[in-house]
Amino acid sequence: MEKKQIDWSNLGFGYVQTDMRYVSNFKDGKWDEGELTPDANVVLNECAGVLQYAQTVFEGLKAYTTEDGHIVMFRPDLNAKRMADSARRLEMPVFPEDRFIEAVAQTVKANAAYVPPYGSGATLYVRPYMFGTNPVIGVKPADEYQFRVFTTPVGPYFKGGAKPITIKVSDFDRAAPHGTGHIKAGLNYAMSLHAIVTAHEEGFAENMYLDAATRTKVEETGGANFIFVTKDNKVVTPKSDSILPSITRRSILHVAKEYLGLEVEEREVFFDEVKDFAECGLCGTAAVISPVGKIVDHGKEICFPSGMDEMGPVTKKLYETLTGIQMGHLEAPEGWLKVVE
Ligand SMILES: *Cc1c(COP(=O)(O)O)cnc(C)c1O
């Protein structure tokens, strides 16, 4: 298979249309067989449930080339399960988890020419999503849905090394207690846009959201979970029912414990104790871990001892170990890599 002529290492994180996508429709209480199509456009009725009441959920994962030339995906079974959880919370039908894995594998295979070569640092980002398609004007769940998967090649997240970022404590809330913060739904992002644009205008890379009820505990950013490292090398991550359960963060905790022999704690993290941590990072599929050098809380600065030039030493070890597993340099735990081709 011939790769597309793309300058892989200079790709950004943007939409590049690829050849094929997967589509399956839910109607009369069941999903159809599904198929690959070259048509990148979706035609919807003006009153479609997704357009009126935002009934839509999504996932994000990546496919990439390992050193031995295979195309693999990282833990797609967890994306399948998380999307099922998201769908149930928004009263949408679940796309069966085994079919989800099959659909993402098929879509990646059909776009193999866009999977960046090993060593480029680039990956093929895979976006499964689902939305209500039939007309809905009275507030209720749709009866018909479409599940789709498209792919887009994305560049290396860190060009020229992972520089620590500065973030701010947001004045906005991301998720309410007992709300939808724990599911991957577009609605959580729509309401975060004003907060992120505001943060960017003020010169910050990201927002740290606190718990909406008490504003004393750390939640997450708009699209990544926090990990902290204590001065005695314990890895700590916030526990909350309104945080999105990041697959990267869950994998990092496993790596910390089983590969690096570090103590890990998933517990409530009070903002007051953040100043005592040695390192801070943001975890998500796109960056794996972005180091945080500084947190600004209304003019008060928390500067981590790891500084603004490099990742902290423990963060770096976690990053290298997890990316080593992803790339096939280190043995992966059973079932973590799904070989597509
Ligand atoms: C997707 C997402 C993450 C990161 O999850 P991964 O599975 O690691 O990519 C974190 N927070 C939010 C709000 C998200 O939507």
Side-chain angles (χ1 to χ4, degrees), residues 58-61 74 78-79 82 125 127 174 181-185 188-189 220-226 242-252 283-288:
F58 69 99
E59 272 302 326
L61 66 159
F74 186 69
L78 297 188
N79 296 97
R82 191 168 64 187
Y125 184 75
R127 169 55 59 90
R174 189 190 85 92
H182 61 300
I183 64 165
K184 216 167 171 71
N188 290 326
Y189 280 78
E220 60 172 320
T221 69
N225 285 181
F226 280 102
S242 41
I243 289 177
L244 194 281
S246 157
I247 293 164
T248 313
R249 186 252 302 160
R250 286 182 271 164
S251 304
I252 285 169
C283 356
T285 293
V288 181

Side-chain angles (χ1 to χ4, degrees), residues 19-336:
D19 295 341
M20 301 298 273
R21 62 278 305 131
Y22 181 92
V23 184
S24 179
N25 288 294
F26 182 90
K27 196 175 175 176
D28 299 328
K30 56 181 191 302
W31 289 103
D32 69 11
E33 272 189 0
E35 61 174 3
L36 290 169
T37 165
D39 190 354
N41 294 310
V42 180
V43 177
L44 286 173
N45 181 272
E46 61 191 351
C47 196
V50 60
L51 298 178
Q52 303 312 321
Y53 303 122
Q55 202 185 11
T56 176
V57 296
F58 69 99
E59 272 302 326
L61 66 159
K62 39 190 199 187
Y64 48 90
T65 310
T66 55
E67 192 166 16
D68 59 2
H70 286 297
I71 295 175
V72 304
M73 293 186 295
F74 186 69
R75 309 187 77 180
D77 53 317
L78 297 188
N79 296 97
K81 163 132 202 337
R82 191 168 64 187
M83 191 163 186
D85 291 340
S86 298
R88 280 186 280 262
R89 180 63 176 76
L90 292 194
E91 291 295 333
M92 303 167 85
V94 166
F95 192 74
E97 292 177 37
D98 54 335
R99 285 195 60 193
F100 175 104
I101 297 169
E102 190 46 40
V104 288
Q106 259 189 46
T107 315
V108 169
K109 211 168 180 167
N111 295 297
Y114 293 91
V115 180
Y118 173 77
S120 63
T123 57
L124 187 71
Y125 184 75
V126 184
R127 169 55 59 90
Y129 59 117
M130 193 205 288
F131 47 92
T133 52
N134 66 298
V136 175
I137 193 77
V139 178
K140 63 173 178 136
D143 303 305
E144 296 173 10
Y145 294 86
Q146 189 164 100
F147 170 85
R148 296 180 74 99
V149 184
F150 71 79
T151 61
T152 185
V154 296
Y157 195 85
F158 298 119
K159 288 184 185 130
K163 283 279 178 218
I165 55 172
T166 300
I167 66 175
K168 70 168 283 187
V169 176
S170 184
D171 291 320
F172 301 100
D173 294 324
R174 189 190 85 92
H178 317 294
T180 54
H182 61 300
I183 64 165
K184 216 167 171 71
L187 55 89
N188 290 326
Y189 280 78
M191 46 73 63
S192 76
L193 296 176
H194 178 60
I196 193 66
V197 168
T198 305
H200 287 165
E201 281 168 1
E202 295 170 0
F204 299 102
E206 267 298 344
N207 281 302
M208 169 186 266
Y209 291 105
L210 302 179
D211 75 295
T214 71
R215 298 192 143 250
T216 58
K217 289 174 275 186
V218 177
E219 291 262 307
E220 60 172 320
T221 69
N225 285 181
F226 280 102
I227 54 158
F228 298 100
V229 180
T230 64
K231 287 180 178 140
D232 54 357
N233 289 351
K234 216 183 277 170
V235 180
V236 179
T237 183
K239 187 183 173 82
S240 156
D241 291 341
S242 41
I243 289 177
L244 194 281
S246 157
I247 293 164
T248 313
R249 186 252 302 160
R250 286 182 271 164
S251 304
I252 285 169
L253 291 196
H254 181 89
V255 161
K257 200 156 62 176
E258 305 298 333
Y259 285 67
L260 302 175
L262 299 171
E263 222 178 298
V264 306
E265 272 180 7
E266 192 177 349
R267 60 165 171 85
E268 290 188 328
V269 173
F270 287 87
F271 181 68
D272 276 351
E273 56 179 313
V274 168
K275 63 180 189 323
D276 301 322
F277 290 122
E279 300 175 35
C280 174
L282 303 177
C283 356
T285 293
V288 181
I289 308 180
S290 320
V292 174
K294 192 193 285 189
I295 302 175
V296 180
D297 174 27
H298 302 94
K300 266 196 315 232
E301 295 190 348
I302 296 173
C303 299
F304 294 102
S306 48
M308 295 304 293
D309 292 324
E310 282 183 74
M311 280 196 183
V314 175
T315 305
K316 187 158 189 218
K317 236 185 251 168
L318 291 167
Y319 177 82
E320 284 173 353
T321 310
L322 184 54
T323 51
I325 289 169
Q326 290 181 333
M327 286 303 161
H329 305 153
L330 293 171
E331 195 173 341
E334 180 77 33
W336 277 27

